[in-house]
Amino acid sequence: MSLTHTVPQTVLGLETSCDETAAAVVRRAADGTVEVLSSVVASQIAEHAPFGGVVPEIAARAHVESIDAIAGRALSDAGLGYADLTGVAATAGPGLVGGVMVGLSFGKAVALARGLPLVAVNHLEGHAVSARLAADIAYPFLLLLVSGGHCQLLVVDGVGACRRLGTTIDDAAGEAFDKIAKTLGLPYPGGPALERLAEGGDAERFPLPRMLLGRKDCDFSFSGLKTAAARLAETLTTDAERRDLAAAVQAAIARQLAERSDRAMADYARAQEGRNLRFVVAGGVAANATVRARLMQAATERGFSFTAPPLAYCTDNAAMIALAGAERLALGLSDALDAPARPRWPLDEAAARLSPTHAPGRKGAKA
Ligand code: KG4
Ligand code: ZN
């Protein structure tokens, strides 16, 4: 074990990659124990809602206006000052680059002014470690990362050591929730609104396509489901029908996530020779109760333990960024002050290069 493992870390985390301005202080003890000292999340939902989605320019401006106060609140909630920190961790991508630059620049300024090491954190690595904020889960584990921009199955051996087993070939699961919610006339963000609408609905009333059935890889696809749901949505006339379609969509997304995860678990269990079988779900979609229940059932049937972060750590937050930073610092890893903001940044760069499931288009390959 390297010497750096024995040094406790108290890290300020900053997250500004989408529509939440967040700051948090996390302490990682020398023995690896994790304590969240504060976690402040300022949502911009009200500012974006009139436009039905996140407007990058509005997001960047809102981050600029609030980052200073949010970081100050994270420190005061933790009862600490800048002098008590051992490092600063800021999301450096992937995400809306205008926003990423705000948090990253703020982090660089703090690092420079206070002589602290900077960690430029991959937002996806933050989600990957998020379950460790509230539960003592050892590496390695199999991770399903499901958020608004990503849908991936990864083997997580530790920070800086993620191997991708599969990814979406079109939309992310959260994107599917959001787009289908829109066709049902629901407000942004669509995922939680669709979950509320689906309550008590009959998921069997509307048959929806099962995507990628029988495929032997661990990839995902939601575009067929999205099209089918949009067609059906146009024909609906009653609230009961809308509720039943919402329930069917939620069940179909949950089923696909469980089916693909089941395939990954089978492969992973073989590679692990049946040892240390841990399945973790993270990202905003992990907040969905039906998704959690389906995944828990799949994990249990395969003999895996199942962990999902508490709801506050499923959606974007800075505690996960601070923890990823603390774990990197504990390994002696930090970044130079010229670390770039990266709109696209796959977690497993080798897999993304070898198997680009997206042809690079106008917006570039989705990580
Ligand atoms: O992880 P996250 O906060 O941001 C990204 O990094 O993308 O995830 C946001 C996504 C959105 O698509 C949102 O609709 C979805 O997570 N989401 C949900 C729920 N809560 C958030 N989807 C379904 N059910 C929910 N309860
Ligand atoms: Zn996220």
Side-chain angles (χ1 to χ4, degrees):
M1 187 186 277
S2 79
L3 249 190
T4 43
H5 273 107
T6 60
V7 181
Q9 302 289 344
T10 306
V11 175
L12 172 68
L14 302 161
E15 159 58 38
T16 56
S17 67
C18 194
D19 59 343
E20 261 107 20
T21 313
V25 180
V26 168
R27 181 169 285 155
R28 182 188 183 277
D31 65 359
T33 315
V34 175
E35 197 186 346
V36 180
L37 302 183
S38 65
S39 180
V40 183
V41 180
S43 171
Q44 306 171 357
I45 284 179
E47 277 143 285
H48 298 288
F51 303 94
V54 180
V55 184
E57 180 65 21
I58 292 176
R61 283 167 190 261
H63 289 308
V64 171
E65 277 163 25
S66 60
I67 184 79
D68 198 16
I70 299 297
R73 238 183 74 204
L75 281 167
S76 66
D77 285 4
L80 300 177
Y82 282 108
D84 300 307
L85 300 174
T86 59
V88 186
T91 298
L96 301 173
V97 78
V100 172
M101 280 164 63
V102 174
L104 184 58
S105 304
F106 187 90
K108 287 175 179 177
V110 172
L112 186 65
R114 298 283 166 173
L116 294 169
L118 170 80
V119 187
V121 174
N122 184 315
H123 179 83
L124 304 179
E125 185 165 280
H127 279 302
V129 302
S130 62
R132 290 167 51 78
L133 286 166
D136 188 13
I137 307 150
Y139 297 115
F141 52 79
L142 180 64
L143 172 76
L144 172 67
L145 173 49
V146 267
S147 67
H150 301 276
C151 188
Q152 307 185 2
L153 279 155
L154 297 149
V155 177
V156 184
D157 289 320
V159 284
C162 292
R163 279 174 292 134
R164 196 181 75 188
L165 302 181
T167 186
T168 179
I169 56 175
D170 40 58
D171 289 343
E175 206 174 354
F177 266 116
D178 292 340
K179 288 177 178 169
I180 295 171
K182 216 170 188 175
T183 65
L184 282 165
L186 295 170
Y188 158 86
L194 191 144
E195 181 172 25
R196 279 193 299 276
L197 176 62
E199 254 169 62
D202 173 8
E204 306 294 326
R205 177 167 176 177
F206 296 105
L208 289 166
R210 280 176 89 170
M211 311 289 292
L212 304 185
L213 252 193
R215 246 174 88 142
K216 295 210 169 6
D217 56 28
C218 300
D219 286 339
F220 301 85
S221 168
F222 297 99
S223 64
L225 176 65
K226 192 178 64 185
T227 310
R231 286 219 182 98
L232 279 165
E234 281 169 14
T235 68
L236 305 186
T237 50
T238 68
D239 283 347
E241 284 175 333
R242 288 173 63 250
R243 190 189 60 204
D244 292 345
L245 181 58
V249 164
Q250 180 171 260
I253 294 177
R255 182 174 59 203
Q256 190 186 142
L257 294 175
E259 280 172 357
R260 311 314 291 174
S261 299
D262 178 68
R263 180 165 289 283
M265 281 189 251
D267 291 348
Y268 183 75
R270 258 193 310 278
Q272 286 283 114
E273 294 173 346
R275 284 190 300 270
N276 299 325
L277 303 183
R278 291 179 276 261
F279 181 76
V280 174
V281 61
V285 177
N288 184 284
T290 303
V291 168
R292 282 164 103 103
R294 274 306 288 258
L295 292 171
M296 175 140 79
Q297 185 193 351
T300 308
E301 281 170 14
R302 284 271 174 203
F304 279 61
S305 68
F306 174 80
T307 313
L311 294 189
Y313 300 146
C314 285
T315 46
D316 286 349
N317 65 88
M320 66 184 194
I321 304 302
L323 178 58
E327 292 198 356
R328 280 184 167 260
L329 289 172
L331 292 172
L333 303 170
S334 64
D335 295 278
L337 288 182
D338 63 354
R342 301 174 64 171
R344 306 249 153 195
W345 185 4
L347 247 192
D348 179 346
E349 298 192 63
R353 257 195 317 275
L354 276 176
S355 147
T357 25
H358 294 258
R362 192 165 53 86
K363 290 156 87 186
K366 224 173 254 177

